[in-house]
Amino acid sequence: MNIKIFDSYNIRARLSVYTIIIAPIILTLYVLYEPIRSFTFSVVLIAIITSFSNYLFALQRYKQREKNHKNTAAEFLYIDDPHIDKKTKQRYYRKLSKIDKSFEVMNHPMDSEEFKQTCYSAVQWLRSNTRNSKLVQEENIMCGFYKNLISLKSVGIAFTIVAFFILIISSVPTTPLSFIQSKTNIILIFVDIGVILFWKFGVNEKIHSVLCEKYAYALLETLDTLPDRTNENKL
């Protein structure tokens, strides 16, 4: 029996984000409390963390419920978008018009709402039919990973602050001088500061935009490798 809890996307785009978020707390607990380092406790802790990860991403979806998600690949197909040159775009239009009858409006590109909706529909079709492309899958994972980082940025910062307070509370009633003289405490403080800086400056919309563009290019480039599949119901 083949038991597969997480696929590649879940591991790299979701579970890895969750690991980054809780890392400061787990690291602090492992360093400060020796019983936690036992194998048995570690197994239990991993099981709890894995289960709790579902809630974290449910929270992510709740936070994004009213956000208008940008479809970069569809926008690249707009007639006035500059990211793809005109000849390549015309080739994509011809290809899409042959793939499905509902995309025949691509034969007459224009700046209209109908054409833009067709672009969105075409990209949705591409996503459903290029799941086996390794390049598309890789770019999709990277884009999804970073999107999850951005959506859970505030949660990541909050968890890091909690890790810092765990360190402070565990040191009571230690004097401030002895606290500072502890190399372990100083290392953990610098780790927390580093993670805060990571969330503050390393997770931003600019990088996410670049990754989305990479994914859009990879997705649209598959049009040159797909066979024509004209709708059989076409008269």
Side-chain angles (χ1 to χ4, degrees), residues 167 179-192:
L167 174 61
F179 177 83
I180 296 174
Q181 289 176 338
S182 170
K183 291 183 179 180
T184 299
N185 292 342
I186 296 301
I187 290 173
L188 288 174
I189 288 174
F190 273 105
V191 168
D192 291 341

Side-chain angles (χ1 to χ4, degrees), residues 157-214:
I157 293 174
F159 271 56
T160 307
I161 294 173
V162 169
F164 177 76
F165 277 107
I166 291 175
L167 174 61
I168 297 298
I169 293 172
S170 66
S171 301
V172 176
T174 305
T175 63
L177 180 60
S178 59
F179 177 83
I180 296 174
Q181 289 176 338
S182 170
K183 291 183 179 180
T184 299
N185 292 342
I186 296 301
I187 290 173
L188 288 174
I189 288 174
F190 273 105
V191 168
D192 291 341
I193 292 174
V195 174
I196 290 290
L197 292 175
F198 162 76
W199 286 112
K200 181 67 176 178
F201 301 106
V203 180
N204 56 68
E205 288 290 348
K206 185 176 181 180
I207 297 177
H208 181 231
S209 178
V210 171
L211 293 174
C212 286
E213 289 181 2
K214 292 284 186 180

Side-chain angles (χ1 to χ4, degrees), residues 11-27:
I11 292 173
R12 295 178 57 192
R14 291 178 178 154
L15 193 60
S16 58
V17 173
Y18 183 61
T19 303
I20 291 172
I21 289 173
I22 66 171
I25 292 179
I26 299 301
L27 179 62

Side-chain angles (χ1 to χ4, degrees), residues 24 30 45 48 53 69 224 232:
Y30 263 70
L45 185 63
I48 294 173
S53 65
H69 297 285
D224 289 328
E232 293 180 356

